[in-house]
Amino acid sequence: MAHTQAAALTSPLRPRLRAVAPDEVDGLAQVAAYLPPGATLLPAPPQSLPTLPGRPPMVGYLVLVPADGRPADGEGPGPTPAPGPVAIDQAQRLARVDGRPLDLTYLEYELLAHLVTHPHRVHTRDQLVTTVWGYGHVGDGRTVDVHVARLRRKLGELRRTIQTVRRVGYKYVP
């Protein structure tokens, strides 16, 4: 089994990754070239990395790959918003309800765009914090609850399109 894994890592079909200094931007671009389409490279939190006595702290990166195999939002074709009452224009960063633009903050837009581009999928509060606010965000699920409440107010009659899944999170149902 170990031989198979080692062979897979050194296979000529799979390029080898190398360590990259934190200030080496070109190196990160090279590493990103090896990622699957739609994958996102994020800095890992320092507390999640091992430390070696007498050595400088390690710098690590997390690779996030969309579960549905499509590119992440805003990259390439990506997921397209479901036809429904809420329209997301990612190029203009604009959300519309029945043709009327919504006045949203940056995070409200990001949250709504994420929910609309993944309809019927249940998102936990932690998933939404990680995806919308970013991995380094210090906060809890209540942050998501407050932003969802604001979004629902701004959606007006369409507030029911963002549904609560009790004790889990939220989903968008057009």
Side-chain angles (χ1 to χ4, degrees):
M1 174 85 173
H3 182 292
T4 307
Q5 289 175 340
L9 292 175
T10 58
S11 165
L13 300 176
R14 286 191 131 180
R16 297 187 62 166
L17 297 179
R18 64 178 181 80
V20 178
D23 59 345
E24 190 179 346
V25 177
D26 293 336
L28 284 178
Q30 290 175 358
V31 170
Y34 294 125
L35 299 176
T40 303
L41 190 67
L42 295 174
Q47 67 271 17
S48 69
L49 300 171
T51 57
L52 301 173
R55 309 269 324 258
M58 293 185 175
V59 176
Y61 292 89
L62 301 172
V63 177
L64 303 177
V65 180
D68 55 7
R70 294 183 289 183
D73 299 343
E75 297 176 15
T80 55
V86 179
I88 301 294
D89 183 346
Q90 293 179 346
Q92 294 183 358
R93 296 192 50 82
L94 192 63
R96 296 179 186 275
V97 172
D98 297 327
R100 173 183 53 89
L102 293 176
D103 183 24
L104 302 176
T105 66
Y106 174 82
L107 286 172
E108 288 170 347
Y109 171 81
E110 291 294 321
L111 178 59
L112 183 61
H114 183 74
L115 290 171
V116 169
T117 56
H118 301 93
H120 304 288
R121 183 188 297 175
V122 178
H123 303 273
T124 67
R125 288 169 177 84
D126 288 340
Q127 287 172 335
L128 290 170
V129 166
T130 301
T131 305
V132 176
W133 279 260
Y135 194 83
H137 176 74
V138 178
D140 59 11
R142 294 297 301 157
T143 303
V144 176
D145 297 340
V146 169
H147 279 78
V148 166
R150 290 178 184 165
L151 270 177
R152 285 176 171 159
R153 266 194 304 273
K154 291 181 179 184
L155 287 171
E157 294 177 9
L158 297 175
R159 71 180 69 242
R160 288 185 181 86
T161 58
I162 299 177
Q163 296 181 355
T164 302
V165 179
R166 297 190 108 193
R167 301 185 64 115
V168 179
Y170 298 97
K171 67 179 176 178
Y172 172 77
V173 179

